[in-house]
Amino acid sequence: MSENKNKNNEVKEATKEAVDSTPQIPDGANEIRETTGADMEVYDDYDVTDLADSAPKKKKFKKRYAVIGIAALIIAAFIIYRINAAKGSAVYVETQDVALGTIENVLSISGTVQSGETKNYYADVTATIEKLNVKVGDKVSEGFELISYDTEALDLAQKNAELAIKQAKGSYSATAAGATVSDSAEYYANTMTLDQINNRIDQITNESEAVQKQIEEKQNRIRQTIDELTKVQMDYNQNRVSDGAEGYNHYDRKDSDGNEMYLQTQEALTDAQAALTRDPEIIAWNDRLTALKDESSRLTQARGLKVNGGSISASKAALDSTQLAQEDTISKIEAAKEGVKADYDGVVTVIPATVAEGATVAAGTQLLTIANLEDVQIAIQVSKSDLPKIALGQKVDVTINGKPYNGEITKISGNATKNTNGVAVVETIIKVTNPDSDIIFGVEASNKIHAQKADNTIVLPYEYVQTDSTGDYVYVLAADNTVQRKDVVIGISTSTEAQITEGLEVGDKVITSDASLLTEGMTVAVMPQQ
């Protein structure tokens, strides 16, 4: 800047010298006289010309006007000479060597502290609240008893549940009475239709009647034989008595032919009487009747399964359902006797007005809500200009109520919304990785996001980077001490620094002087170090 001021002073002095050397014009030489009417005066510079002359004559300037023109030319030439002489002299500049460094872009965005997990506690059973041990805003530790119930009422509810199971079992037993069947009956029920079962039962009935008829016919023939043999024996006995025989022995075979006949008759009668039950055909027929009867019984059972199986299944399903539900109720009642306890360290955020000591709450009623103090996060809104600078996993310096914490970006929403000013923003979640009991939900937290960072890279103060219609550039000092323009590409940028990813190399000398005084190609000299 001082060098340019010296140049301007030189030009001014040259102009002054040129003016001083110009011949002075006498005062009044340029005076314009008043001209009115016939007394009008004519300057000496003009020859009086008669209008009647055929050839017009040229006007003549006075000598003093010629002198003025010459002086102006001299002044202009002197000024141009001094300017050219000034151009030939070097402009002093300051430079900075290009070196590697580190640049980091830190975003400062405030957000609201909230819990990453909240749990609503509900009543598992219908019960009466005996004691409510918390209020909204209380901080509780894991395992703390929040609510206790009236245990007498719970005991009564447990007995009712047990009674419901007992009644369901009784109903099923009544429905399933006599429904126990053999495996073969189940086989028939699974492999035969109801019509097939009925048809087979009819066939068995008919066959059984036929076999029974055969048995009766043969037994009748045997009985008839027995009757005949009995009559023969009776006749024989009567004849012997009528003949006056004394000492007659029915078993004597030796006395006469009559005795032998009697004995044969007696044996035949005995065999006939035994045949009524021991005849091989009758035995076979009876065995067949037994088999048919068994098959008929199994088919009848199978038919019962076909007809009544739905009712039995429904009754069994009702029992299973009742037993499952009531056993679950009993389990919940036993747990309720231990009270409602906090699952983690947290803050009570909601207690409905209907939840109070002495109130009876139905199963499913919301009791309270707890926010987890072990899962703390901060919701921030990131503008579209800052969105490219953030990423999942970036570290964050968090300050809550003046206390520092560590944070990390864990979620970036895929949907933009409008804030109160109508600006599009993207909700981003910062997880606090070292929460403690001092944290208060709902307060504002300040966050410094370590957004972008580059090590071992070229970094320049942003003020050294110039911009025009063709892009970003810097001026560097060339080897011949002239100004050289180098186009550059900017990577990470902050409010004071810029990363140069292309265009410069380590060792280049960037000119740090006022760029408005520089033009590419001009000769410069490096300002001596003070």
Side-chain angles (χ1 to χ4, degrees):
M1 293 295 291
S2 59
E3 183 68 16
N4 291 325
K5 290 181 180 179
N6 293 335
K7 292 178 184 179
N8 293 335
N9 291 335
E10 291 177 0
V11 173
K12 291 179 181 179
E13 291 176 0
T15 304
K16 185 175 183 298
E17 291 176 6
V19 173
D20 292 342
S21 62
T22 303
Q24 299 296 316
I25 300 174
D27 295 339
N30 292 329
E31 182 180 354
I32 299 176
R33 299 178 182 178
E34 184 180 6
T35 57
T36 57
D39 296 331
M40 185 177 90
E41 298 183 3
V42 181
Y43 289 109
D44 296 342
D45 300 329
Y46 297 91
D47 293 333
V48 179
T49 304
D50 190 349
L51 295 175
D53 293 342
S54 58
K57 296 182 180 181
K58 297 180 179 179
K59 298 178 181 179
K60 295 182 180 180
F61 291 99
K62 290 186 177 181
K63 292 180 180 181
R64 61 176 172 271
Y65 291 102
V67 172
I68 292 173
I70 293 171
L73 292 174
I74 293 173
I75 292 171
F78 187 78
I79 292 174
I80 292 172
Y81 168 78
R82 294 303 297 270
I83 291 174
N84 289 335
K87 284 185 177 180
S89 63
V91 175
Y92 284 99
V93 296
E94 294 180 348
T95 63
Q96 175 179 309
D97 291 342
V98 173
L100 297 179
T102 298
I103 185 172
E104 184 176 18
N105 196 334
V106 178
L107 300 178
S108 295
I109 305 176
S110 61
T112 303
V113 180
Q114 60 188 30
S115 176
E117 178 187 9
T118 59
K119 179 177 180 179
N120 296 321
Y121 289 77
Y122 296 90
D124 289 332
V125 294
T126 299
T128 301
I129 297 176
E130 185 174 55
K131 191 170 183 181
L132 178 63
N133 300 316
V134 291
K135 60 182 181 299
V136 173
D138 284 354
K139 291 184 177 181
V140 297
S141 57
E142 180 180 356
F144 180 80
E145 187 177 50
L146 307 169
I147 293 175
S148 60
Y149 293 114
D150 183 351
T151 56
E152 291 184 0
L154 292 176
D155 288 338
L156 179 59
Q158 183 171 349
K159 290 179 180 179
N160 289 333
E162 293 170 348
L163 179 60
I165 295 175
K166 186 176 181 180
Q167 289 175 339
K169 288 181 177 180
S171 176
Y172 171 72
S173 297
T175 303
T180 303
V181 295
S182 63
D183 293 339
S184 57
E186 290 184 357
Y187 172 79
Y188 289 144
N190 293 331
T191 59
M192 299 175 68
T193 66
L194 183 61
D195 288 340
Q196 289 173 332
I197 292 173
N198 288 330
N199 290 335
R200 179 57 185 156
I201 291 175
D202 291 342
Q203 291 173 358
I204 290 173
T205 301
N206 294 333
E207 185 178 353
S208 297
E209 290 177 353
V211 172
Q212 183 64 41
K213 185 176 181 180
Q214 288 177 314
I215 293 173
E216 290 176 353
E217 287 178 349
K218 188 164 188 177
Q219 286 179 338
N220 287 335
R221 289 196 300 271
I222 293 172
R223 290 189 184 96
Q224 185 176 359
T225 300
I226 292 172
D227 290 342
E228 291 176 353
L229 290 172
T230 301
K231 289 179 179 179
V232 170
Q233 190 179 44
M234 291 178 63
D235 291 341
Y236 182 79
N237 289 333
Q238 289 176 357
N239 292 331
R240 292 294 295 170
V241 171
S242 62
D243 290 339
E246 296 180 0
Y248 173 71
N249 186 357
H250 295 290
Y251 301 100
D252 185 0
R253 300 184 181 184
K254 299 177 181 180
D255 292 345
S256 63
D257 292 337
N259 288 338
E260 184 67 24
M261 177 64 72
Y262 182 86
L263 182 60
Q264 291 177 353
T265 303
Q266 181 67 37
E267 289 178 352
L269 179 59
T270 301
D271 291 339
Q273 290 175 340
L276 286 174
T277 57
R278 291 197 296 270
D279 181 76
E281 278 190 323
I282 293 176
I283 292 174
W285 288 332
N286 281 326
D287 289 343
R288 179 59 179 162
L289 285 176
T290 300
L292 291 173
K293 183 178 180 181
D294 289 342
E295 183 180 1
S296 178
S297 176
R298 291 192 293 270
L299 288 170
T300 302
Q301 291 177 0
R303 181 169 60 183
L305 287 177
K306 288 286 188 180
V307 175
N308 301 319
S311 300
I312 296 173
S313 298
S315 179
K316 182 63 167 62
L319 170 61
D320 292 341
S321 177
T322 300
Q323 193 163 1
L324 182 64
Q326 295 303 326
E327 285 178 352
D328 180 64
T329 298
I330 292 172
S331 176
K332 290 178 178 179
I333 290 173
E334 291 175 346
K337 292 178 181 179
E338 302 297 324
V340 179
K341 297 181 179 179
D343 292 333
Y344 43 68
D345 295 347
V347 177
V348 179
T349 58
V350 175
I351 299 178
T354 54
V355 177
E357 292 182 359
T360 298
V361 292
T365 302
Q366 182 180 354
L367 300 174
L368 45 78
T369 302
I370 295 182
N372 193 348
L373 271 173
E374 299 172 357
D375 186 2
V376 179
Q377 63 185 29
I378 301 165
I380 63 174
Q381 294 181 335
V382 179
S383 64
K384 64 178 183 180
S385 60
D386 289 332
L387 189 60
K389 302 176 183 179
I390 65 171
L392 296 176
Q394 287 176 339
K395 303 302 180 183
V396 184
D397 296 331
V398 179
T399 302
I400 303 174
N401 292 335
K403 187 173 181 177
Y405 297 90
N406 299 326
E408 179 181 334
I409 294 180
T410 57
K411 181 181 178 181
I412 301 174
S413 176
N415 180 53
T417 58
K418 296 290 184 68
N419 61 14
T420 55
N421 296 324
V423 178
V425 293
V426 175
E427 184 175 81
T428 301
I429 299 299
I430 299 171
K431 181 179 178 62
V432 178
T433 58
N434 59 336
D436 57 27
S437 59
D438 293 336
I439 291 178
I440 298 177
F441 293 130
V443 300
E444 187 176 84
S446 60
N447 312 284
K448 291 185 177 180
I449 304 173
H450 297 272
Q452 298 169 304
K453 185 178 181 180
D455 297 316
N456 297 319
T457 188
I458 295 176
V459 181
L460 288 179
Y462 219 129
E463 58 183 306
Y464 300 162
V465 181
Q466 311 301 318
T467 303
D468 61 13
S469 60
T470 61
D472 299 319
Y473 66 93
V474 296
Y475 284 130
V476 298
L477 181 65
D480 59 354
N481 288 336
T482 60
V483 176
Q484 180 183 1
R485 169 178 170 147
K486 282 196 172 184
D487 294 330
V488 296
V489 176
I490 297 176
I492 299 173
S493 62
T494 68
S495 59
T496 58
E497 293 181 317
Q499 176 195 21
I500 307 300
T501 59
E502 295 181 22
L504 290 180
E505 296 180 358
V506 175
D508 287 345
K509 294 184 178 296
V510 175
I511 299 175
T512 62
S513 301
D514 187 356
S516 64
L517 303 177
L518 304 176
T519 57
E520 187 174 17
M522 71 182 298
T523 300
V524 294
V526 178
M527 184 77 70
Q529 298 293 329
Q530 298 293 333

